[in-house]
Amino acid sequence: MKFNDFDAKMRLYETAADQFVPPDLYMIARLDGRGFTKLSKEILDLEKPFSMEFRDAMISTMKHLMNSGFTIEYGYTQSDEISLLFHPNDQSFNRKYRKLLSVLAGEASAAFTHALQHIGVFDCRLCILPTLDLVTDYFLWRAEDAHRNSLNAYCYWKLREQGKSVAEATNRLQKLSVAEKNELLFQMNINYNTLPAWQKRGMGFYWQTVYKKGLNPVTNEETTVERRELLYELELPFPGYKEWLLHMLNKL
Ligand SMILES: Nc1nc2c(ncn2[C@@H]2O[C@H](COP(=O)(O)OP(=O)(O)OP(=O)(O)O)[C@@H](O)[C@H]2O)c(=O)[nH]1
Ligand SMILES: [Mg+2]
C-alpha cells in the first residue's frame, strides 16, 4: 500500500472521535484539581479550610491560563476549580474538543505544579452555552457553590478542631440550615460575613484596556499604545455580581 493511502486509512481511526464546538456558541472550560483533598490534607497539610499558599498557586495558574494563547474574556476560580469563558469567535484548534480539553488541562497542570512545586493535575470539561444570560447564570452558579462549600468547610474544620470525628462533624452539618451554620460559627467567635470575600465567593480575572504613552524612536513623536492588562478581583461584588459580569461582558 502506498504511504498516502496507508495514511488516509489510519487517519480515519485517529479522527473518528473528533468533535468541534459549533460557531457562535459560548464555551466555558471548567478545570478541576484531581484528588486535591488528598493533596491538601495528607500530602501538603495545607492550612484549613483556606490556605494562602494554595490560593497563590491558583492565582499563578489563572494568570498563565489567561495568557496561554486563547481569547479568554473572563476567568473564575474557587477552591480547586477554574472556569474560563472564551470569546465566542475564538477559533483555537478549530474549536475541536479534544485539543481544547487536553491542551488546557496540560497548561493548568504544568502552571500549578510549577507554582506549588508539587505535582498537581487538572481535568477539564467544556460547557457550551447559547446565550450571554446563561453565561452569567453559569458564573452565579459557581459562586453560589463556592459560598455553600466555604460555609460548610469553615463549620466542618471548626467542629473537627473541637474534637469531633469525621462522621460526627459530617452528620452534624447535614442537619443544619444555612442560618444555623452561621450561628454555629458565631458561637465560636467567627462572623462568617466578615471573612475575606475570595474565600466565600472565589476570584474573578478579566482584562482592562489601558493606554500607555510612548515615544516613536524614528519620528520622535509621542504615541499612545493600547494594551490589555490582566486584573483580578479578590472581592467580587455580592449583591451585584450579575450586573458586574454583564457590564464587563457587554462587548461580547
Ligand atoms: N486545606 C485546604 N484545602 C483546600 C483548599 N482549597 C481547596 N481545598 C480542598 O480541595 C478539595 C477540592 O474538592 P474536590 O474537587 O471536590 O475533591 P478532589 O479530592 O479534588 O476530587 P476530584 O476533583 O474528584 O479528583 C476539597 O477537599 C478542599 O477542601 C485550601 O485552600 N486549603
Ligand atoms: Mg478536585
Side-chain angles (χ1 to χ4, degrees), residues 32-38 40-41 45-52 54-55 79-80 123 153 157 198:
D32 189 286
R34 181 181 181 211
F36 274 30
T37 304
K38 189 172 177 195
S40 57
K41 268 196 216 160
D45 193 21
L46 296 176
E47 194 183 329
K48 304 166 194 80
F50 292 97
S51 137
M52 294 293 270
F54 184 81
R55 183 198 80 173
S79 185
D80 71 336
D123 68 18
W157 287 112
W198 64 269

Side-chain angles (χ1 to χ4, degrees), residues 104-199:
L104 286 166
E107 295 280 0
S109 306
F112 181 83
T113 298
H114 182 68
L116 203 66
Q117 289 295 296
H118 194 283
I119 287 179
V121 170
F122 285 80
D123 68 18
C124 184
R125 70 200 67 183
L126 283 180
C127 248
I128 311 302
L129 301 159
T131 63
L132 203 51
D133 219 36
L134 276 169
V135 168
T136 54
D137 276 350
Y138 172 94
F139 285 109
L140 286 169
W141 169 47
R142 295 329 297 154
E144 188 55 35
D145 183 78
H147 196 240
R148 281 160 181 258
N149 287 341
S150 96
L151 180 61
N152 272 339
Y154 261 103
C155 291
Y156 175 83
W157 287 112
K158 279 289 147 195
L159 290 169
R160 293 296 310 281
E161 258 175 51
Q162 286 190 334
K164 300 270 187 292
S165 69
V166 173
E168 284 168 343
T170 312
N171 280 342
R172 173 100 191 264
L173 277 179
Q174 268 170 1
K175 294 186 192 110
L176 298 182
S177 66
V178 169
E180 285 165 340
K181 286 175 191 168
N182 273 284
E183 185 52 33
L184 180 118
L185 291 177
F186 207 69
Q187 298 299 325
M188 296 188 238
N189 295 323
I190 295 175
N191 183 348
Y192 183 74
N193 288 327
T194 59
L195 290 172
W198 64 269
Q199 298 186 355

